[in-house]
Amino acid sequence: MRKSSNSDQLIEKLKPVIRKTPYSQLTTDTIANYMDVSKATLYKHFTSRDEIIEKVVVYYMDYIAEEEEGNNSNEYEYIEKFQKIFDHSLKGVIFVTDIFLEDLHDNYHHLYERWQTAIQKRYTKLSSFFESGIEKGIFNNINPILFMIQDDSVLRKMFEPSFSVRYNVTLKQAILDYYQMKKFQLIAPEWLGIADDDLIIKEVEFVLKKL
């Protein structure tokens, strides 16, 4: 549980930094500078450097666990939830970068294990949703776990600095093309026409502007 809204605001200031710089390489003074507070103020909100990185991990764990269950009573709701899951996966890759994960693995392994457990719980939770859609004939007969695992691998590859140059494609177009592939993999042909792709386009544009 977070101590206060003030500590949350300090964490928010640090998150963009540790997406690109290993947290283990930051000194306490550097962390305080990024948070725009004195070292003394920093320790009023956090007992240690380890507490800060733990709070960041817990924040990300809460994010990937927050997808709504929903009733999914009709075809539109199933397809809209698939789109929300895709959006969630995209933002997860943006927030939790390879640099961040490698640092966790090498220097905060207990937190890395907690993160991996949270990911597995997400896959298990969402598998029942995909299986339900398959049973109702809305989704094709795919393997839900493999369908979700591919997001992490493919989307992370797209965010490599050399990807766009190497394959002569913009990051936005690559993400939208991948979404189309996922859509055709999952949704049964008779229901493809009701998917509102504008929702995904707007979310992708919004997210990329924040980078």
Side-chain angles (χ1 to χ4, degrees):
M1 182 178 294
R2 301 185 180 102
K3 287 183 177 179
S4 69
S5 59
N6 286 336
S7 64
D8 289 347
Q9 291 171 10
L10 297 179
I11 291 291
E12 284 296 320
K13 292 181 179 180
L14 186 64
K15 284 192 295 186
V17 178
I18 57 180
R19 290 207 298 263
K20 300 178 180 179
T21 304
Y23 181 78
S24 60
Q25 295 181 10
L26 302 178
T27 66
T28 305
D29 286 333
T30 303
I31 294 169
N33 285 337
Y34 280 122
M35 290 182 172
D36 198 25
V37 295
S38 68
K39 198 170 175 180
T41 301
L42 176 68
Y43 280 117
K44 288 181 180 178
H45 294 281
F46 309 101
T47 59
S48 65
R49 291 177 76 259
D50 286 349
E51 184 185 3
I52 297 172
I53 188 63
E54 181 174 5
K55 284 182 177 294
V56 173
V57 173
V58 169
Y59 174 91
Y60 290 147
M61 288 170 58
D62 289 345
Y63 176 78
I64 65 168
E66 72 181 8
E67 284 156 319
E68 297 179 1
E69 294 289 345
N71 293 323
N72 306 313
S73 59
N74 59 54
E75 296 82 7
Y76 291 92
E77 290 179 357
Y78 271 92
I79 292 173
E80 184 177 339
K81 181 162 183 178
F82 150 65
Q83 293 174 319
K84 288 179 179 178
I85 291 170
F86 181 85
D87 179 56
H88 228 68
S89 296
L90 173 62
K91 290 175 180 174
V93 166
I94 292 172
F95 295 153
V96 186
T97 61
D98 286 343
I99 290 173
F100 181 80
L101 285 178
E102 288 169 8
D103 193 37
L104 278 190
H105 180 274
D106 294 342
N107 298 289
Y108 309 95
H109 199 72
H110 65 293
L111 295 177
Y112 179 81
E113 290 297 329
R114 287 178 64 183
W115 171 254
Q116 291 300 316
T117 298
I119 290 292
Q120 290 172 8
K121 286 182 178 179
R122 177 180 187 252
Y123 289 161
T124 300
K125 174 183 173 183
L126 293 178
S127 286
S128 60
F129 160 72
F130 287 113
E131 288 166 357
S132 175
I134 292 168
E135 290 176 4
K136 293 185 177 182
I138 302 168
F139 296 155
N140 294 318
N141 189 18
I142 50 94
N143 182 314
I145 297 295
L146 293 179
F147 183 76
M148 289 182 282
I149 287 176
Q150 69 180 339
D151 286 350
D152 193 68
S153 299
V154 175
L155 290 172
R156 287 189 185 282
K157 189 71 176 176
M158 289 179 184
F159 279 88
E160 290 180 0
S162 61
F163 181 87
S164 292
V165 174
R166 183 179 301 164
Y167 297 105
N168 192 30
V169 62
T170 65
L171 180 56
K172 175 185 173 181
Q173 191 59 54
I175 293 170
L176 292 177
D177 286 349
Y178 178 60
Y179 159 74
Q180 289 294 331
M181 289 172 56
K182 296 274 290 185
K183 184 178 75 172
F184 279 92
Q185 278 181 343
L186 180 68
I187 302 173
E190 59 266 36
W191 301 116
L192 281 168
I194 68 173
D196 183 1
D197 294 342
D198 286 343
L199 297 174
I200 290 295
I201 294 171
K202 289 176 182 177
E203 281 300 315
V204 170
E205 290 175 343
F206 175 77
V207 168
L208 293 183
K209 285 179 181 178
K210 297 292 184 179
L211 292 179

